[in-house]
Amino acid sequence: MFYSNAHTHSTWCDGKNTLAEMTAAAEKLRFTDLGFTCHSRAPFDPTCPGIKDEVAYQKAIRTLAENSAVQLACGLEWDYFSPTPISGYDYFIGSVHYLPPKAGVYRSVDDTPKNFSETLQEWYQGDFLALAQDYYDLVVAHITHNQPKIVGHFDLVTKFDDTLHYLTPQNQKAYEKIALKALQQVVNVLKTYEGLVEVNTGGMSRGWRKQPYPAKFLLEFLASKKVPVILTSDSHQIDTLDYAFEKTQRLLQAVGFTASYQLKKGKFVPVRF
């Protein structure tokens, strides 16, 4: 049984549906809860500026919740390079969407394959391992310094690999070593405050990936360390609220998980498969 989705977007940022439309869709799925986590402000990115008025965003969710059959949570997907959010949120998803800036220029790791390819060549001379190291250093820093409840799409940096094939037999093992080292560091921090690692099907619903974030070898590591995970779809529209949840649950069971956390009646609780 899937009770909720704790990572969703609306027209307050780059989502396609309103808060009310997303809530109605959640009710049809018989969700008990829905967590809104619109993007934090990124004034340097005109393609995804994020929430401009956090006070109004929080008020809109609280107002909608007053007459909703679904319990609503007010969260935020907090990017590493965004300003510190205001108080009043129920939880944060800590995500990294950009690489370290150069000369004041920020480049995203997940906007388009074309832009990613240009960044890989122009900034890293085609060296994906160097790019990945920069990305994971930011992920570790974000979780360490800001301690969000949920680690968002841990290996987002691999979003376009099925299209661009920058992971090769020659660099795969070296990449896995970089990713696993970063994940171990993240896990060490999560244990200090009961954080969760997101298993995110958003790349699948958008047609970029066949498997969720994180990749299977990372999920196997998390299962072996008994790290709690939460299944989400990073939904930006009403028809992806529970995208590939059943398929992903089977994957989690196959690598050794017996439960995942869900948002239920306003709390994050483990739900056995």
Side-chain angles (χ1 to χ4, degrees):
M1 176 68 180
F2 301 108
Y3 296 97
S4 62
N5 187 341
H7 186 170
T8 70
H9 298 270
S10 71
T11 50
W12 277 88
C13 57
D14 60 344
K16 295 182 179 180
N17 293 100
T18 65
L19 297 173
E21 290 169 340
M22 295 291 280
T23 301
E27 186 174 358
K28 287 183 180 179
L29 291 171
R30 298 185 179 180
F31 279 3
T32 63
D33 293 68
L34 185 65
F36 288 110
T37 51
C38 283
H39 290 287
S40 58
R41 189 163 62 90
F44 51 82
D45 185 355
T47 67
C48 188
I51 299 172
K52 296 179 181 179
D53 189 339
E54 292 182 75
V55 172
Y57 167 66
Q58 291 184 2
K59 183 179 179 180
I61 294 174
R62 304 301 184 201
T63 300
L64 181 61
E66 291 175 1
N67 297 301
S68 174
V70 178
Q71 187 156 340
L72 303 181
C74 181
L76 186 75
E77 185 173 10
W78 179 4
D79 185 82
Y80 178 73
F81 289 109
S82 292
T84 301
I86 65 172
S87 61
Y89 290 104
D90 295 316
Y91 63 94
F92 296 110
I93 297 176
S95 299
V96 173
H97 298 91
Y98 306 92
L99 293 163
K102 294 188 177 184
V105 175
Y106 292 82
R107 291 197 176 181
S108 172
V109 299
D110 72 325
D111 54 356
T112 68
K114 179 178 181 294
N115 288 345
F116 185 92
S117 183
E118 289 177 354
T119 299
L120 180 59
Q121 296 304 321
E122 294 171 7
W123 281 20
Y124 294 93
Q125 294 73 54
D127 186 353
F128 175 65
L129 295 179
L131 185 155
Q133 186 66 67
D134 273 358
Y135 169 81
Y136 283 118
D137 285 347
L138 293 177
V139 173
V140 173
H142 194 9
I143 305 309
T144 300
H145 298 150
N146 298 315
Q147 299 190 354
K149 178 63 178 180
I150 300 171
V151 179
H153 40 55
F154 175 79
D155 55 347
L156 182 66
V157 73
T158 63
K159 177 177 178 177
F160 299 124
D161 183 56
D162 286 354
T163 302
L164 300 175
H165 307 294
Y166 40 83
L167 277 172
T168 68
Q170 289 73 36
N171 68 13
Q172 179 71 39
K173 287 187 177 180
Y175 164 73
E176 290 183 7
K177 184 177 180 180
I178 291 170
L180 283 168
K181 181 179 179 181
L183 187 56
Q184 177 66 77
Q185 292 174 291
V186 164
V187 167
N188 290 342
V189 177
L190 293 181
K191 289 180 178 178
T192 67
Y193 68 93
E194 298 183 342
L196 308 171
V197 174
E198 173 187 60
V199 181
N200 178 316
T201 65
M204 300 166 69
S205 67
R206 296 169 184 76
W208 296 116
R209 293 170 58 101
K210 296 181 178 64
Q211 299 293 328
Y213 310 104
K216 186 178 180 181
F217 76 94
L218 296 168
L219 292 176
E220 290 172 340
F221 172 81
L222 292 171
S224 71
K225 300 297 182 180
K226 301 186 184 306
V227 178
V229 297
I230 183 168
L231 176 56
T232 84
S233 70
D234 194 350
S235 181
H236 285 64
Q237 58 196 65
I238 58 175
D239 59 353
T240 60
L241 275 174
D242 61 348
Y243 190 87
F245 275 12
E246 291 186 1
K247 176 182 178 180
T248 304
Q249 177 179 302
R250 291 193 294 270
L251 171 62
L252 292 176
Q253 289 177 289
V255 300
F257 286 98
T258 59
S260 69
Y261 272 69
Q262 294 190 41
L263 189 59
K264 186 179 179 184
K265 296 182 179 179
K267 297 182 178 180
F268 290 102
V269 297
V271 178
R272 292 188 64 84
F273 296 142

